[in-house]
Amino acid sequence: MKAILIVPSLWAAMGDSFVSWLTSSSKRSQRGEGKLKAIIYTVILFAAVFAAVKIVPVYVAEYQLNDKITEQARFAIVNHYSEDQIRDIIFKVIQDLDIPANREDIKVQNTNHGVMITVNYSVPVDFKVYKTQFSFSPSSEGRDLLK
């Protein structure tokens, strides 16, 4: 019989704490606490996502261009490409990636040890309230092992 009496008193104690928790949370929501903080966090989250959508593609395109420049610097020596052929290949990649660079921005130099390829460009980014430009200058040098 004692076990039966303990269970209802346990439920009664838990019920009292649950009721007090419900009333305190409902009073808190009635005062409006926490709503301003949630709105601020939501605005910050949306601003971060918006900035990421604007910035990440610019850096991904730069990474892909840098990868292609490194590849072309290595293979240009083996394939004996001229400076104009290298410039044409890199410019096609620039057009495919929608990078705002001209053909004149691509510098190809034959050095004593191989080929040096450099591209200097800047990308304007508009954040609606702030405009900026990101400047990039990916470069790579392909070395001739026989020289």
Side-chain angles (χ1 to χ4, degrees), residues 18-38:
F18 182 71
V19 169
S20 66
W21 176 76
L22 280 177
T23 57
S24 68
S25 66
S26 66
K27 287 180 186 176
R28 195 174 328 128
S29 65
Q30 288 174 1
R31 288 195 308 243
E33 288 181 16
K35 290 185 181 182
L36 180 62
K37 196 184 299 186

Side-chain angles (χ1 to χ4, degrees), residues 3-61:
I4 296 174
L5 294 176
I6 294 173
V7 173
S9 63
L10 180 63
W11 280 108
M14 286 177 55
D16 289 339
S17 64
F18 182 71
V19 169
S20 66
W21 176 76
L22 280 177
T23 57
S24 68
S25 66
S26 66
K27 287 180 186 176
R28 195 174 328 128
S29 65
Q30 288 174 1
R31 288 195 308 243
E33 288 181 16
K35 290 185 181 182
L36 180 62
K37 196 184 299 186
I39 291 170
I40 291 172
Y41 285 146
T42 305
V43 168
I44 290 171
L45 177 68
F46 282 130
V49 168
F50 180 75
V53 165
K54 294 287 190 171
I55 293 173
V56 169
V58 173
Y59 279 98
V60 168

Side-chain angles (χ1 to χ4, degrees), residues 99-113:
I99 294 175
N102 298 324
R103 194 172 188 280
E104 295 80 31
D105 296 332
I106 304 167
K107 306 292 185 226
V108 180
Q109 298 172 343
N110 284 322
T111 62
N112 292 337
H113 302 290

